Amino acid sequence: MTRPVYPATRTVDATETLHGETIPDPYRWLEDSESSETRAWTEAQNALTESYLARGPAREAIHRRLDELLAIGAINTPTPAHGRYFYQRREGRQNQPVLYVREGVDGADRVAVDPNALDPAGTTALDWYYPSDDGALLA
């Protein structure tokens, strides 16, 4: 494969002083994700990356295998709280895991929070949760 030609990236004369140390930050302008210049730069970088990766002979095989592995799903360790058990489970093709609560060891599972229902785009996730000691409340 030939070496890619990267899109030009301008630099700026920006510095920041932290704890008495002056730190150059020539790419600070890229922190403004809303600017049209940053979006154009990102699109150019993404197009270059995609064109480079598309030439890889094993890309389709890797994609199929990752898709197969990610379809397995996952379940986490339950958090017990006064006879209730809280845990997250993601079924094969779900974007985000769902938080379930179970009444007792043999009880039926009940959905407590489903991020997939809250955001059909699949970009909202439940990062953490804490049941109260008595299992009646959830934060």
Side-chain angles (χ1 to χ4, degrees), residues 20-57:
E21 293 290 326
T22 301
I23 301 164
D25 191 0
Y27 303 106
R28 172 146 323 152
W29 65 272
L30 285 168
E31 293 176 13
D32 182 3
S33 61
E34 299 301 314
S35 80
S36 59
E37 183 181 17
T38 300
R39 278 187 261 137
W41 181 89
T42 301
E43 288 169 10
Q45 292 289 335
N46 287 341
L48 171 70
T49 301
E50 184 60 36
S51 69
Y52 186 78
L53 292 175
R55 292 182 273 165

Side-chain angles (χ1 to χ4, degrees), residues 4-19:
V5 177
Y6 293 95
T9 304
R10 77 176 174 89
T11 58
V12 296
D13 187 23
T15 59
E16 187 167 343
T17 303
L18 298 170
H19 308 289

Side-chain angles (χ1 to χ4, degrees), residues 15-132:
T15 59
E16 187 167 343
T17 303
L18 298 170
H19 308 289
E21 293 290 326
T22 301
I23 301 164
D25 191 0
Y27 303 106
R28 172 146 323 152
W29 65 272
L30 285 168
E31 293 176 13
D32 182 3
S33 61
E34 299 301 314
S35 80
S36 59
E37 183 181 17
T38 300
R39 278 187 261 137
W41 181 89
T42 301
E43 288 169 10
Q45 292 289 335
N46 287 341
L48 171 70
T49 301
E50 184 60 36
S51 69
Y52 186 78
L53 292 175
R55 292 182 273 165
R59 185 173 186 191
E60 191 54 39
I62 292 169
H63 181 271
R64 279 193 308 273
R65 181 63 176 142
L66 284 173
D67 188 57
E68 180 182 304
L69 291 172
L70 291 173
I72 292 171
I75 188 168
N76 76 348
T77 305
T79 301
H82 198 71
R84 290 191 172 116
Y85 297 89
F86 295 84
Y87 67 96
Q88 288 182 295
R89 182 175 73 217
R90 184 184 66 79
E91 300 298 335
R93 302 275 179 218
Q94 284 180 310
N95 285 320
Q96 304 296 337
V98 175
L99 177 62
Y100 290 89
V101 61
R102 178 182 287 187
E103 301 287 338
V105 174
D106 298 318
D109 295 338
R110 177 171 50 94
V111 173
V113 179
D114 183 355
N116 302 294
L118 295 173
D119 177 12
T123 57
T124 298
L126 182 61
D127 189 36
W128 55 265
Y129 63 93
Y130 293 100
S132 61

